[in-house]
Amino acid sequence: MSEELTKVPESKGSHAKRKVFVKTYGCQMNVYDSARMTDALTSDGYEETSDLADADLVLINTCHIREKAAEKVYSQLGRLREMKKSRQERGREFIIGVTGCVAQAEGDEILRREKSVDLVMGPQAYHRLPEALKKVRESGPSVDTDYAIEDKFEHLPAQNRKSVQARGVSAFLTVQEGCDKFCTFCVVPYTRGSEVSRPLAQIMDEARQLVEAGVREITLLGQNVNAWHGADGNGNEAGLGMLLEQLSQIEGLARLRYTTSHPRDMDDGLIAAHATNPKLMPYLHLPVQAGSDRILKAMNRKHTASDYIALIKRIRAANPDLALSGDFIVGFPGETDEDFEETMRLIEEVNYAQAFSFKYSPRPGTPGADMPDHVPEDVKSARLERLQALLIKQQREFAQNCVGREIDLLLEKPGRMEGQLVGRSPWLQSVIIDTKTSKIGDNIKIGDIIRVRITEAGPNSLFAEFAEA
């Protein structure tokens, strides 16, 4: 789907089934939530469509992490308003819903500012979506941003086999939601609530459903996924390392990943899993955000730069082949030139295979927004440019060091060019292989894991050839 929702010609034909169009912004958990909302609506008689012109229901699943996220939503709603007016003139239903973190944060304000919106629903209420739509039809616009007392996952329907198959051989599975860390830059505790771990049995059931539908790789999701904890079946409390071990026993499941982690929740069991679990991919996204202890304290991260570096050394000792990813915020209130240089030194020492970096942007309602000494935009921009240049250099060096290596490649989809197949390396890089020149057998298909040799490192992908036995 395109990044912007634009007015499109109205489609012709009958509408025996109501159709839903979902536009997703933000993190992988939003992608997962959109899929589960679609499953709930499919169970309620809807049919998913990728054509906005064909939709009777449009859901915008929003993210509140970046600056001006709410304003972007209102801009999209303005486009949909005209479409709704046209539909109503033709006597056709057209319901507009806003879900996700902006919905949670803005609530009734969305209905006040945009009269065309029929439904506002926070992330904890998706299991009530069919009921909410019925209420909309019967009595008008509805807002549901209450944190659910019941377990929303327990009440969501089973994964729709057909939709899982359409999404491919890799899938997301939420195991933990919410955050208790209260970093001063972050809205997640206010929009997703406190940390909640899904029960082991529920996770295992959903994982088996995914594998039965053809999924080969599962990525476990959570705002702080490594804070997951639950009973191990013997009445003992266990962490994410145990969960990964349990999942690895599912026949047909070839690969496991997890994201996003917090340094404070990397326990011994999880570190050991990186050494002992062959299905756990050697890739770890472990955000640090800054390299200055003064800024880390202001961010309420509750770890120091040296704590983080010592942790990285322990993890790499468990698995020397591990690729590390991270997040960085530049220009947090009060950040000096020396604070920034300490972040650059941390990056140099850790050496990242991949990373995400952003200029600090105040989130309303967070402590950081009210802090003094906000950094000027031009200073933030200059720092971000330097930091990203270093991260790109490290990423390219890591990719170049992969050239000549033989790896197991999970084939995920056809490439852009005829004869190409695309997969993911163990380190999450996109890998392209040309079946015409690599002498791959005719029986090779999407979902297979094949042995390849990396031949070239491009700016955004690796290229490979079939590694003949």
Side-chain angles (χ1 to χ4, degrees):
M1 298 178 192
S2 62
E3 182 64 21
E4 298 296 323
L5 293 174
T6 55
K7 189 174 180 179
V8 294
E10 186 167 354
S11 62
K12 306 291 184 183
S14 62
H15 286 263
K17 264 193 172 185
R18 291 187 172 108
K19 296 188 178 182
V20 57
F21 175 99
V22 183
K23 176 62 187 174
T24 307
Y25 293 96
C27 66
Q28 294 100 325
M29 192 173 289
N30 266 13
V31 174
Y32 174 88
D33 281 346
S34 289
R36 299 315 311 276
M37 282 192 285
T38 302
D39 289 337
L41 290 168
T42 300
S43 298
D44 196 48
Y46 273 87
E47 183 178 298
E48 185 178 9
T49 180
S50 59
D51 184 359
L52 180 59
D54 209 25
D56 305 282
L57 166 64
V58 175
L59 296 177
I60 305 178
N61 195 8
T62 61
C63 174
H64 207 274
I65 295 297
R66 300 270 68 82
E67 188 176 11
K68 299 180 180 177
E71 293 307 314
K72 189 171 187 177
V73 170
Y74 289 118
S75 176
Q76 303 287 26
L77 291 174
R79 296 182 178 93
L80 289 172
R81 182 196 316 130
E82 296 303 314
M83 197 170 183
K84 180 171 185 174
K85 181 179 178 182
S86 174
R87 297 294 181 85
Q88 289 177 331
E89 288 172 352
R90 289 170 166 80
R92 180 176 163 188
E93 179 176 279
F94 192 71
I95 294 175
I96 300 174
V98 181
T99 65
C101 292
V102 172
Q104 185 69 41
E106 297 277 306
D108 291 290
E109 178 68 7
I110 294 176
L111 294 186
R112 189 189 69 79
R113 287 187 56 176
E114 184 49 73
K115 304 299 184 185
S116 66
V117 173
D118 302 287
L119 175 66
V120 178
M121 177 167 277
Q124 308 305 323
Y126 295 152
H127 57 297
R128 297 195 289 263
L129 185 54
E131 176 187 337
L133 289 171
K134 182 180 178 183
K135 181 179 177 183
V136 166
R137 292 189 188 97
E138 292 174 350
S139 56
S142 172
V143 176
D144 188 348
T145 54
D146 291 337
Y147 287 110
I149 298 173
E150 67 273 37
D151 178 0
K152 77 173 186 183
F153 297 105
E154 185 178 349
H155 292 275
L156 284 169
Q159 291 262 18
N160 182 284
R161 186 182 182 91
K162 184 178 178 181
S163 63
V164 170
Q165 290 169 337
R167 292 167 201 151
V169 297
S170 298
F172 297 126
L173 199 171
T174 294
V175 302
Q176 181 273 341
E177 191 169 8
C179 184
D180 296 338
K181 303 298 189 290
F182 287 93
C183 298
T184 55
F185 54 80
C186 187
V187 297
V188 167
Y190 311 102
T191 57
R192 289 278 180 172
S194 59
E195 290 179 357
V196 176
S197 295
R198 290 182 72 183
L200 174 64
Q202 195 182 103
I203 294 167
M204 296 297 293
D205 285 345
E206 187 169 336
R208 291 188 189 100
Q209 292 167 19
L210 291 170
V211 174
E212 287 169 4
V215 168
R216 304 294 315 279
E217 176 182 282
I218 291 177
T219 299
L220 307 183
L221 297 180
Q223 268 79 40
N224 288 316
V225 67
N226 56 340
W228 183 90
H229 60 278
D232 64 0
N234 297 316
N236 301 315
E237 189 81 357
L240 189 64
M242 182 277 293
L243 174 59
L244 289 162
E245 176 59 30
Q246 292 285 314
L247 289 166
S248 70
Q249 304 304 313
I250 297 176
E251 186 175 353
L253 179 60
R255 291 181 163 188
L256 287 163
R257 303 181 188 274
Y258 62 93
T259 193
T260 291
S261 301
H262 195 290
R264 287 162 54 193
D265 293 316
M266 287 296 300
D267 62 23
D268 293 344
L270 183 53
I271 294 172
H274 281 281
T276 61
N277 191 332
K279 292 188 178 181
L280 178 58
M281 292 295 96
Y283 177 89
L284 175 62
H285 184 65
L286 190 64
V288 63
Q289 307 298 356
S292 159
D293 288 348
R294 194 176 69 84
I295 296 302
L296 288 170
K297 184 176 181 180
M299 289 178 167
N300 196 36
R301 293 291 289 174
K302 295 187 175 156
H303 63 77
T304 64
S306 60
D307 292 337
Y308 180 84
I309 290 169
L311 177 60
I312 296 303
K313 289 178 178 177
R314 288 185 60 206
I315 297 167
R316 283 181 165 155
N319 187 347
D321 202 33
L322 183 136
L324 193 71
S325 171
D327 288 348
F328 293 92
I329 295 172
V330 301
F332 190 76
E335 183 186 72
T336 64
D337 288 342
E338 178 53 32
D339 291 324
F340 174 70
E341 294 303 331
E342 288 180 6
T343 298
M344 296 290 282
R345 285 193 286 271
L346 181 143
I347 293 171
E348 289 276 15
E349 182 167 354
V350 172
N351 197 6
Y352 290 87
Q354 189 183 76
F356 304 92
S357 51
F358 314 93
K359 292 188 290 185
Y360 172 74
S361 57
R363 304 267 54 80
T366 62
D370 298 324
M371 287 182 176
D373 301 324
H374 280 249
V375 178
E377 283 300 313
D378 59 336
V379 175
K380 287 194 280 190
S381 296
R383 289 175 183 171
L384 183 64
E385 185 176 353
R386 277 190 60 204
L387 182 138
Q388 288 183 337
L390 176 57
L391 290 171
I392 290 170
K393 174 176 174 288
Q394 291 184 349
Q395 180 177 333
R396 289 178 175 170
E397 287 174 350
F398 181 86
Q400 192 61 44
N401 287 336
C402 292
V403 174
R405 293 190 65 170
E406 290 190 5
I407 65 167
D408 291 326
L409 180 66
L410 172 62
L411 298 175
E412 292 188 342
K413 60 184 179 180
R416 294 182 179 178
M417 307 290 289
E418 183 180 354
Q420 285 184 343
L421 292 174
V422 181
R424 292 281 175 181
S425 77
W427 308 290
L428 207 58
Q429 302 141 302
S430 176
V431 182
I432 299 170
I433 185 164
D434 190 328
T435 60
K436 293 180 294 186
T437 60
S438 290
K439 300 178 182 178
I440 296 179
D442 294 336
N443 294 327
I444 296 297
K445 60 186 183 301
I446 302 301
D448 287 346
I449 297 176
I450 62 173
R451 192 73 176 170
V452 302
R453 183 180 301 105
I454 305 300
T455 58
E456 182 184 348
N460 301 303
S461 302
L462 300 176
F463 297 86
E465 63 184 8
F466 185 62
E468 298 183 44

